[in-house]
Amino acid sequence: MIAVVVPIAMTLFAVAALLNLYRLAIGPDIVDRILALDTLMINSIALIVLADLRMGLGVLFELALLIALMGFIGTVAMSKYLVRGDVIE
């Protein structure tokens, strides 16, 4: 069952990542671009975890955790910059 579901899920997450890239490039506002970048990080994490499940390595989960941490910090920094005009006070 997993051999069938994982490739389908990977395809759907890849399509979602492409749509996020489109929104990141065309986004009419900076808020839309930040949201597209955050969603792209989430889709990338899902793709990495699914690839690790498919290959059965078990070593890519740390990479997914690192990307999640960097994505969270980046989103918070960009949001603070939009609201306050600077990141560090």
Side-chain angles (χ1 to χ4, degrees), residues 9-78:
M10 287 179 75
T11 304
L12 292 175
F13 277 111
V15 169
L18 289 175
L19 291 173
N20 288 330
L21 283 174
Y22 174 76
R23 176 57 61 191
L24 186 64
I26 306 295
D29 197 5
I30 190 70
V31 177
D32 293 330
R33 290 183 174 160
I34 291 174
L35 186 61
L37 189 63
D38 190 45
T39 310
L40 183 64
M41 292 271 186
I42 293 170
N43 286 331
S44 300
I45 292 167
L47 279 172
I48 289 171
V49 169
L50 287 172
D52 193 40
L53 282 176
R54 183 171 171 92
M55 291 187 287
L57 297 176
V59 295
L60 296 178
F61 289 116
E62 290 86 9
L63 178 65
L65 185 64
L66 186 64
I67 290 175
L69 181 66
M70 291 175 61
F72 174 74
I73 291 172
T75 302
V76 169
M78 286 187 278

